[in-house]
Amino acid sequence: MRIITDFDGPIMDLSDRYYHVYQLCLAQVREPDQSINILTKAEFWADKRAKISEQQVGIKSGLTAAQAETFKQIRDQTAHQLQYLSLDRVVPSAIPALEQIQASGVELIVMTLRRNCELTVAFEQYGLDRFFPLDRRYCLGDNYHKQGDIKDKTQLMAQALIDLKPDPNTWMIGDTETDIIAAQTHGIRVVGVLSGIRDLDRLTQYQPDRIVDSLATAIDFIFANIKD
Ligand SMILES: [Mg+2]
């Protein structure tokens, strides 16, 4: 049996980083005398999970449409800079869940659209490399030219299925439509988790095999549904 898990969402909580970058970019774009409405962290994260666009977030925060365009551009250039990655936190129940998978002997793979250097930073910060030997990591190369989330993830999945020996009892766990589509494209069962950047309405539209709160509950579900 094999479990392939996405990283950001099931294991890492990016909400603090994204909220910090949101505030930074808002401060950069606003005029000094312009009154703006800074969303609370809860409001901001609910919007991100509902897939509200960056421009719309900017407008809700009091920017003009033109400012919101600039806001989106600055935000996209800033959000993934290495200096902000230390703001990411581990989802509290994720470590025990990873330990549970490891102890069970199930093959565990991480599959993420982070670049190798971005994944390494998080692994070192939180000691997560113990769960994922080098040949169990699927991520983007540091110089890889990104082609879009769904295409990139579906290609990572294709590569993994070439590298790994076939296992009909393979499950994917992820927090966005990207994970669900990548798994479904290759006929792999997929569990959506709500600990990441999509809410129930968004995930439901893509019809994963199950939607649960977290990696920990995904593991419970998968272990209860093992077909040998
Ligand atoms: Mg994710």
Side-chain angles (χ1 to χ4, degrees), residues 22-228:
Y22 157 75
Q23 290 174 292
L24 278 182
C25 296
L26 212 50
Q28 264 182 273
V29 173
R30 71 182 290 189
E31 297 294 337
D33 57 351
Q34 183 177 6
S35 96
I36 55 166
N37 165 42
I38 301 175
L39 303 179
T40 64
K41 162 96 184 283
E43 289 168 341
F44 169 79
W45 195 237
D47 280 355
K48 294 298 293 179
R49 297 184 75 232
K51 223 181 164 186
I52 306 289
S53 71
E54 295 299 336
Q55 288 97 327
Q56 205 54 42
V57 168
I59 287 168
K60 282 179 75 170
S61 307
L63 301 180
T64 65
Q67 285 175 320
E69 277 302 321
T70 311
F71 166 79
K72 178 207 165 13
Q73 285 170 17
I74 299 175
R75 184 267 168 204
D76 288 351
Q77 290 160 11
T78 310
H80 301 284
Q81 289 178 12
L82 287 177
Q83 59 187 310
Y84 299 119
L85 296 190
S86 62
L87 296 173
D88 294 341
R89 291 176 292 119
V90 177
V91 174
S93 59
I95 300 275
L98 292 170
E99 286 171 342
Q100 187 188 351
I101 301 170
Q102 201 167 44
S104 72
V106 166
E107 186 181 14
L108 176 62
I109 310 277
V110 66
M111 184 171 291
T112 174
L113 294 181
R114 281 192 185 219
R115 294 187 184 279
N116 188 42
C117 61
E118 297 165 346
L119 186 60
T120 304
V121 164
F123 274 12
E124 286 175 357
Q125 185 177 2
Y126 290 107
L128 298 172
D129 29 359
R130 63 188 163 121
F131 298 111
F132 305 104
L134 283 174
D135 62 352
R136 307 285 174 89
R137 301 176 192 178
Y138 285 85
C139 61
L140 301 182
D142 290 342
N143 298 312
Y144 177 80
H145 181 70
K146 292 185 184 181
Q147 304 176 68
D149 287 357
I150 288 172
K151 192 164 184 187
D152 289 336
K153 195 124 204 182
T154 304
Q155 279 184 8
L156 278 183
M157 184 64 85
Q159 187 59 50
L161 296 176
I162 290 169
D163 296 343
L164 305 166
K165 74 176 195 314
D167 186 335
N169 212 354
T170 295
W171 290 83
M172 173 76 186
I173 299 170
D175 69 318
T176 70
E177 62 279 4
T178 302
D179 306 294
I180 297 169
I181 292 170
Q184 289 172 342
T185 300
H186 293 283
I188 291 170
R189 286 165 294 178
V190 55
V191 179
V193 295
L194 295 169
S195 55
I197 199 162
R198 294 291 181 267
D199 60 22
L200 182 61
D201 283 351
R202 298 291 136 189
L203 287 188
T204 302
Q205 290 171 21
Y206 293 90
Q207 300 183 304
D209 293 275
R210 189 81 166 190
I211 299 174
V212 297
D213 286 344
S214 65
L215 179 69
T217 39
I219 298 305
D220 290 343
F221 171 74
I222 291 169
F223 283 2
N225 283 272
I226 294 174
K227 297 187 189 78
D228 288 319

